Amino acid sequence: KNEVEQSPQNLTAQEGEFITINCSYSVGISALHWLQQHPGGGIVSLFMLSSGKKKHGRLIATINIQEKHSSLHITASHPRDSAVYICAATPPAGIQGAQKLVFGQGTRLTINP
Amino acid sequence: EAGVVQSPRYKIIEKKQPVAFWCNPISGHNTLYWYRQNLGQGPELLIRYENEEAVDDSQLPKDRFSAERLKGVDSTLKIQPAELGDSAVYLCASSFIANYGYTFGSGTRLTVV
């Protein structure tokens, strides 16, 4: 079992729909990242959060530390949101390997016009 | 400000040939990471540098992979000789403080034929 699990692995929706991508992790973390990867391969960091909720435009990320769960929401989805969304966890400081990200498998999102 | 710059974007080589990837991190970022991402999977760390020192290379296949970060700025990742299984996207990332503000490059897509 992966330390960081995402669901669903693939998601297809119509333009305008509200999108939710889930991430569960089994390790202790100091921070959780949501990343966006477009077909060309480049990765863009969307959010880094350690508690609560963050919002940027149509994107909202939440995290529940007790439940070890995070969600990424996209409101009023648009075809340009089509990409792979990756959840990644940073282990706590002092833990061996704390400097690296532990990645989920990614969720491939396709928004149809 | 320029982001993390990687070159080339794409590379196709025959097996047993050598290949090298170059990364220029964001100015002032002390930490540099090389990741490998196989199709449909999340990135996996190959090596992490703090300035010019490789502090985590436990996942680097040292029989054929090598990396260097001279002067603690640019970095080069080399594969010699390449194998078919090395086909993947090689991502470079940098951060100023470990675990904070990751910035990824656009990646190099390697195809070994």
Side-chain angles (χ1 to χ4, degrees):
Chain A
K1 181 173 166 62
N2 292 333
E3 293 175 307
V4 178
E5 292 273 355
Q6 287 184 237
S7 64
Q9 291 191 13
N10 293 282
L11 178 57
T12 300
Q14 291 299 121
E15 182 173 358
E17 287 189 37
F18 181 81
I19 302 300
T20 296
I21 300 171
N22 295 301
C23 176
S24 296
Y25 52 93
S26 58
V27 295
I29 68 167
S30 61
L32 189 124
H33 304 253
W34 280 101
L35 309 167
Q36 181 190 55
Q37 185 172 34
H38 281 283
I43 292 178
V44 175
S45 178
L46 298 175
F47 296 104
M48 185 183 73
L49 64 165
S50 54
S51 65
K53 172 181 173 179
K54 287 189 176 181
K55 184 176 188 291
H56 181 69
R58 296 181 294 107
L59 302 178
I60 304 167
T62 64
I63 188 168
N64 184 316
I65 299 297
Q66 286 73 30
E67 295 185 3
K68 294 188 174 180
H69 181 269
S70 177
S71 293
L72 176 69
H73 306 284
I74 305 175
T75 62
S77 60
H78 191 276
R80 64 175 175 267
D81 297 326
S82 298
V84 175
Y85 292 84
I86 303 173
C87 169
T90 304
I95 301 296
Q96 187 174 8
Q99 311 303 325
K100 65 182 181 183
L101 297 177
V102 180
F103 290 86
Q105 317 95 308
T107 295
R108 183 174 300 277
L109 175 66
T110 303
I111 304 297
N112 294 319
Chain B
E1 177 187 296
V4 175
V5 180
Q6 288 189 248
S7 67
R9 285 297 311 275
Y10 305 93
K11 189 74 175 178
I12 300 175
I13 61 170
E14 294 183 344
K15 62 182 180 182
K16 300 185 181 180
Q17 294 301 305
V19 65
F21 315 125
W22 176 79
C23 173
N24 179 241
I26 289 179
S27 177
H29 278 197
N30 299 324
T31 308
L32 183 146
Y33 314 77
W34 281 104
Y35 289 89
R36 176 172 60 188
Q37 185 178 24
N38 293 312
L39 189 64
Q41 299 180 23
E44 295 178 309
L45 181 69
L46 291 174
I47 190 168
R48 175 173 67 90
Y49 282 93
E50 293 289 346
N51 298 305
E52 66 273 10
E53 182 183 0
V55 296
D56 183 356
D57 62 356
S58 56
Q59 302 300 314
L60 189 72
K62 298 182 182 63
D63 56 338
R64 297 183 300 107
F65 286 65
S66 64
E68 61 183 11
R69 191 184 184 197
L70 299 176
K71 301 181 181 178
V73 181
D74 295 2
S75 178
T76 303
L77 178 68
K78 298 178 181 178
I79 308 175
Q80 181 171 11
E83 297 180 352
L84 295 176
D86 295 331
S87 296
V89 174
Y90 291 83
L91 291 159
C92 178
S94 70
S95 64
F96 175 57
I97 301 173
N99 305 334
Y100 182 82
Y102 280 83
T103 302
F104 285 84
S106 53
T108 296
R109 183 176 296 276
L110 173 68
T111 303
V112 182
V113 297

Short mmCIF file of all heavy atoms in Angstrom, two decimals, chain A residues 5-11 20-24 34 69 105-107:
data_model
loop_
_atom_site.label_atom_id
_atom_site.label_comp_id
_atom_site.label_asym_id
_atom_site.label_seq_id
_atom_site.Cartn_x
_atom_site.Cartn_y
_atom_site.Cartn_z
N GLU A 5 -2.22 7.93 -1.01
CA GLU A 5 -3.19 7.36 -1.94
C GLU A 5 -4.14 8.44 -2.43
O GLU A 5 -4.67 9.20 -1.62
CB GLU A 5 -4.00 6.25 -1.26
CG GLU A 5 -3.20 5.01 -0.91
CD GLU A 5 -3.13 4.03 -2.07
OE1 GLU A 5 -3.79 4.27 -3.11
OE2 GLU A 5 -2.41 3.03 -1.94
N GLN A 6 -4.35 8.45 -3.73
CA GLN A 6 -5.30 9.41 -4.30
C GLN A 6 -6.48 8.68 -4.91
O GLN A 6 -6.36 7.56 -5.38
CB GLN A 6 -4.63 10.23 -5.41
CG GLN A 6 -3.65 11.25 -4.92
CD GLN A 6 -3.10 12.08 -6.07
OE1 GLN A 6 -1.89 12.12 -6.25
NE2 GLN A 6 -3.97 12.75 -6.81
N SER A 7 -7.60 9.38 -4.93
CA SER A 7 -8.77 8.86 -5.63
C SER A 7 -9.61 10.01 -6.15
O SER A 7 -9.67 11.08 -5.53
CB SER A 7 -9.61 7.98 -4.68
OG SER A 7 -10.12 8.76 -3.61
N PRO A 8 -10.24 9.83 -7.30
CA PRO A 8 -10.07 8.68 -8.18
C PRO A 8 -8.78 8.78 -8.97
O PRO A 8 -8.11 9.80 -8.95
CB PRO A 8 -11.29 8.80 -9.10
CG PRO A 8 -11.51 10.28 -9.21
CD PRO A 8 -11.18 10.83 -7.87
N GLN A 9 -8.43 7.73 -9.68
CA GLN A 9 -7.23 7.78 -10.52
C GLN A 9 -7.53 8.51 -11.82
O GLN A 9 -6.64 9.16 -12.38
CB GLN A 9 -6.74 6.37 -10.82
CG GLN A 9 -6.16 5.68 -9.61
CD GLN A 9 -5.43 4.40 -9.96
OE1 GLN A 9 -5.14 4.14 -11.12
NE2 GLN A 9 -5.14 3.59 -8.97
N ASN A 10 -8.75 8.38 -12.29
CA ASN A 10 -9.19 9.08 -13.49
C ASN A 10 -10.55 9.70 -13.23
O ASN A 10 -11.40 9.08 -12.58
CB ASN A 10 -9.28 8.12 -14.69
CG ASN A 10 -7.92 7.61 -15.11
OD1 ASN A 10 -7.16 8.29 -15.77
ND2 ASN A 10 -7.62 6.38 -14.73
N LEU A 11 -10.74 10.90 -13.74
CA LEU A 11 -12.01 11.59 -13.55
C LEU A 11 -12.33 12.40 -14.80
O LEU A 11 -11.51 13.21 -15.24
CB LEU A 11 -11.91 12.51 -12.33
CG LEU A 11 -13.13 13.36 -11.99
CD1 LEU A 11 -14.35 12.48 -11.77
CD2 LEU A 11 -12.85 14.21 -10.76
N THR A 20 -13.92 17.18 -7.14
CA THR A 20 -13.24 16.86 -5.89
C THR A 20 -12.26 15.72 -6.13
O THR A 20 -12.63 14.68 -6.67
CB THR A 20 -14.23 16.45 -4.79
OG1 THR A 20 -15.07 17.57 -4.49
CG2 THR A 20 -13.49 16.03 -3.53
N ILE A 21 -11.03 15.93 -5.72
CA ILE A 21 -9.99 14.90 -5.76
C ILE A 21 -9.53 14.69 -4.32
O ILE A 21 -9.28 15.64 -3.59
CB ILE A 21 -8.81 15.33 -6.64
CG1 ILE A 21 -9.30 15.57 -8.08
CG2 ILE A 21 -7.72 14.26 -6.62
CD1 ILE A 21 -8.25 16.20 -8.97
N ASN A 22 -9.44 13.42 -3.94
CA ASN A 22 -9.13 13.08 -2.56
C ASN A 22 -7.72 12.51 -2.42
O ASN A 22 -7.19 11.86 -3.32
CB ASN A 22 -10.13 12.06 -2.03
CG ASN A 22 -11.52 12.65 -1.97
OD1 ASN A 22 -11.76 13.64 -1.29
ND2 ASN A 22 -12.46 12.04 -2.69
N CYS A 23 -7.15 12.74 -1.24
CA CYS A 23 -5.81 12.25 -0.93
C CYS A 23 -5.79 11.78 0.52
O CYS A 23 -6.16 12.55 1.42
CB CYS A 23 -4.80 13.37 -1.14
SG CYS A 23 -3.11 12.95 -0.68
N SER A 24 -5.39 10.54 0.72
CA SER A 24 -5.23 10.01 2.07
C SER A 24 -3.78 9.59 2.26
O SER A 24 -3.16 9.08 1.33
CB SER A 24 -6.14 8.80 2.27
OG SER A 24 -7.49 9.17 2.19
N TRP A 34 -0.35 20.05 -3.13
CA TRP A 34 -1.12 19.71 -4.32
C TRP A 34 -0.39 20.30 -5.52
O TRP A 34 -0.06 21.50 -5.54
CB TRP A 34 -2.54 20.24 -4.24
CG TRP A 34 -3.44 19.40 -3.39
CD1 TRP A 34 -3.83 19.63 -2.12
CD2 TRP A 34 -4.05 18.16 -3.77
NE1 TRP A 34 -4.65 18.62 -1.67
CE2 TRP A 34 -4.80 17.70 -2.66
CE3 TRP A 34 -4.03 17.38 -4.94
CZ2 TRP A 34 -5.54 16.51 -2.69
CZ3 TRP A 34 -4.76 16.20 -4.96
CH2 TRP A 34 -5.50 15.78 -3.85
N HIS A 69 -6.30 13.24 5.79
CA HIS A 69 -7.02 13.32 4.53
C HIS A 69 -7.00 14.75 4.02
O HIS A 69 -7.13 15.71 4.80
CB HIS A 69 -8.46 12.85 4.72
CG HIS A 69 -9.26 12.87 3.46
ND1 HIS A 69 -10.01 13.97 3.06
CD2 HIS A 69 -9.42 11.93 2.49
CE1 HIS A 69 -10.59 13.70 1.92
NE2 HIS A 69 -10.26 12.47 1.55
N GLN A 105 -0.18 8.73 -6.68
CA GLN A 105 -0.10 8.26 -8.08
C GLN A 105 -0.63 9.29 -9.07
O GLN A 105 -0.39 9.18 -10.26
CB GLN A 105 -0.89 6.97 -8.27
CG GLN A 105 -0.72 5.94 -7.18
CD GLN A 105 -1.84 6.08 -6.15
OE1 GLN A 105 -2.09 7.16 -5.61
NE2 GLN A 105 -2.50 4.98 -5.86
N GLY A 106 -1.34 10.28 -8.57
CA GLY A 106 -1.91 11.28 -9.47
C GLY A 106 -3.33 10.95 -9.86
O GLY A 106 -3.74 9.79 -9.88
N THR A 107 -4.09 11.97 -10.16
CA THR A 107 -5.46 11.84 -10.68
C THR A 107 -5.52 12.56 -12.01
O THR A 107 -5.22 13.75 -12.10
CB THR A 107 -6.47 12.49 -9.72
OG1 THR A 107 -6.48 11.78 -8.48
CG2 THR A 107 -7.87 12.48 -10.33
#
